[in-house]
Amino acid sequence: MNRILFASAFLVVSISAAFADGIPSAVPTAIGRVPAAVSPALKASAPKLVEPHLHIARSNLVGHARIALTFDACMGQADERILSTLVRERIPATIFVTARWLKRNPAALAVFLQNPDLFELENHGQNHVPAVDTPTLVYGIASAGSPQAVRQEVEGGAAAMVAAGIPAPHWFRGSTAKYNLSAIGAIRAMGYRIAGYSVNGDGGSLLGAVITEKRIASARDGDVVISHINQPTHAAGEGVAKALVDLKAKGTEFVRLEDVEDTGDDKTTE
């Protein structure tokens, strides 16, 4: 019993520290509850949120799975373990960047821009706030809170990308990867496809190396994997890098979102 209590306490502390840095975009569902400190009024008015799934067209070839690797660059620094593996192994991926991350990582951005055959850069928002148009907390992070604020989060992220020399984005993924339906409609009306996923590779970068490797290795034909490329001190990055090499050795075909047809639920890609 003591071991269980200690492990639970450690998990809560770890998650709280990650939230304080505003990092996770997608974390394990089991820990995705509104904190007890939220006021009863806010709990009562909490909007219904969805966490959309996304799949790509399958190869339908035995022993030749096709998957899309997507990485969120929220804040923090670039994870060179992952970035160097992608470049060395010539593995294409779609990278979702925030305006805040771009300011702090000019060297990594240069690598992305120098390898346009590998990297598709897309919009992760201006300040890494959940794209929910009513006030609430998502994994402890305050939502945008209004339609105007959602628009600013999306447009601010896109403007920062263009200013940094990146082509105008076509996809958007919000912080926490959760939305309410009205925000989804508004973002789609702005001309964006919304990037869900089907495999959560690193649990918001909070998982260990071994379990991260296993999760990504479990990807099947047509899956879209989400992981993070902005936490170089977290063990998850080691698992991501190893899983990429292992999948390539198995003959996996890696594609970017822009290279293949896709299907998203909750009207995120229609």
Side-chain angles (χ1 to χ4, degrees), residues 43-61:
K43 287 182 179 179
S45 62
K48 178 182 178 181
L49 302 182
V50 295
E51 190 169 0
H53 295 93
L54 179 67
H55 288 85
I56 58 170
R58 299 176 180 177
S59 73
N60 290 319
L61 299 174

Side-chain angles (χ1 to χ4, degrees), residues 61-226:
L61 299 174
V62 177
H64 187 78
R66 174 189 294 152
I67 69 171
L69 299 172
T70 68
F71 292 93
D72 289 356
C74 311
M75 279 86 79
Q77 301 295 327
D79 191 333
E80 291 295 336
R81 296 169 299 182
I82 300 172
L83 181 54
S84 62
T85 299
L86 292 170
V87 173
R88 182 183 67 250
E89 300 293 334
R90 308 309 293 171
I91 295 175
T94 303
I95 315 294
F96 287 85
V97 297
T98 66
R100 297 173 70 175
W101 187 89
L102 288 173
K103 290 179 181 179
R104 297 185 62 178
N105 294 274
L109 173 60
V111 173
F112 290 146
L113 295 178
Q114 290 163 6
N115 292 274
D117 58 322
L118 292 182
F119 300 116
E120 171 190 0
L121 300 180
E122 297 292 352
N123 188 358
H124 196 33
Q126 181 176 22
N127 290 310
H128 198 252
V129 297
V132 177
D133 61 18
T134 59
T136 191
L137 295 178
V138 188
Y139 301 139
I141 304 174
S143 67
S146 71
Q148 296 79 10
V150 169
R151 175 172 288 274
Q152 180 59 44
E153 174 71 1
V154 178
E155 291 183 342
M161 294 177 69
V162 172
I166 303 169
H170 301 288
W171 286 86
F172 176 80
R173 175 182 286 156
S175 167
T176 74
K178 286 182 178 286
Y179 316 81
N180 60 334
L181 294 180
S182 55
I184 287 176
I187 296 167
R188 291 288 291 124
M190 294 170 66
Y192 288 90
R193 302 172 79 78
I194 297 175
Y197 61 91
S198 58
V199 175
N200 187 336
D202 63 1
S205 81
L206 297 175
L207 299 178
V210 173
I211 190 170
T212 295
E213 181 185 352
K214 288 181 178 179
R215 283 194 175 198
I216 297 176
S218 73
R220 297 293 180 261
D221 196 16
D223 272 334
V224 175
V225 179
I226 182 176

Side-chain angles (χ1 to χ4, degrees), residues 4-16:
I4 295 174
L5 292 174
F6 177 79
S8 299
F10 179 78
L11 179 59
V12 170
V13 171
S14 299
I15 295 166
S16 299

